[in-house]
Amino acid sequence: MTDNKKDEFNEEIDAKAEETAEETAGSAEEKEDSGKEKAEIKEDVKEEPEEDENVKYLRLMADFQNYKKRVEKEKKDLYAYANEIIMNELLTVLDNFERALGHDDGEGFKEGIEMIFKQLGDVLEKSGLAEIPAMGEDFDPQKHNAVMTEDTDEYESGKVSEVMQKGYTLNGKVIRPSMVKVAN
């Protein structure tokens, strides 16, 4: 609180105290009471502005806490339902697998499974998944996980000679490196 405001409050207190003193003019007992009342009024007036500020701060703090809770809930909902679109697309692939497994017709069965495999690959590719090219490429520790080395005339030293497990990126970020053999 600035000094000017304090002075204004003190002047108001004094004015109210004088009014109270004039109203309660009378016996000495009344005058003592008026002195007590002056002190009480001074305390009441001093507390009111501070209480108003405290109430403002409490409300502001409560609003901020509510905002934090709301943002946290929105984050949880976002994480919980972030994959909803891709899951709905994968459900059609799952349905097709169930239908294919219900009909075992030899050669037609293999073609059906290949079609479903392609459908699954298309859904994942549309969602940002991409296979990491590895066979015959230079070994890159950022994209490849070398589990073995081999001597071969087919590939130069430092090239990937066999892919043991494919690696993938999701929107440009490596989510699983390729497990490879590297030529010596």
Side-chain angles (χ1 to χ4, degrees), residues 11-21 38 41 45 48:
E11 288 174 16
E12 286 180 35
I13 291 169
D14 291 339
K16 286 185 181 181
E18 287 177 25
E19 288 175 18
T20 306
K38 282 183 186 179
I41 290 173
V45 173
E48 285 180 13

Side-chain angles (χ1 to χ4, degrees), residues 10 66 85 94 130 180:
N10 287 334
N66 290 338
I85 295 170
L94 184 65
V180 297

Side-chain angles (χ1 to χ4, degrees), residues 44-105:
D44 289 344
V45 173
K46 286 181 182 177
E47 289 178 13
E48 285 180 13
E50 290 175 12
E51 285 180 16
D52 288 342
E53 287 182 26
N54 288 340
V55 169
K56 282 182 185 178
Y57 290 125
L58 288 173
R59 285 185 180 155
L60 184 63
M61 189 167 46
D63 287 342
F64 183 68
Q65 288 174 347
N66 290 338
Y67 168 78
K68 282 175 42 177
K69 288 177 186 175
R70 186 174 60 248
V71 167
E72 190 64 32
K73 183 183 180 300
E74 288 173 359
K75 276 185 187 178
K76 285 180 182 177
D77 289 346
L78 182 66
Y79 291 139
Y81 300 109
N83 295 324
E84 183 177 358
I85 295 170
I86 191 169
M87 289 301 133
N88 281 326
E89 291 179 7
L90 288 174
L91 286 176
T92 59
V93 176
L94 184 65
D95 293 339
N96 288 336
F97 266 120
E98 286 178 351
R99 287 186 202 108
L101 292 173
H103 301 285
D104 186 10
D105 295 335

Side-chain angles (χ1 to χ4, degrees), residues 115-143:
M115 288 172 57
I116 295 170
F117 181 75
K118 184 181 179 333
Q119 182 185 21
L120 175 61
D122 291 344
V123 168
L124 295 174
E125 187 177 312
K126 187 171 123 182
S127 298
L129 189 74
E131 184 180 331
I132 296 173
M135 194 65 174
E137 298 284 323
D138 287 332
F139 175 74
D140 181 358
Q142 300 292 326
K143 297 178 183 177

Side-chain angles (χ1 to χ4, degrees), residues 151-170:
D151 294 325
T152 181
D153 296 331
E154 198 172 327
Y155 295 99
E156 296 176 21
S157 180
K159 298 274 186 181
V160 174
S161 60
E162 184 180 337
V163 177
M164 303 171 90
Q165 184 181 45
K166 293 179 181 180
Y168 294 94
T169 61
L170 182 62

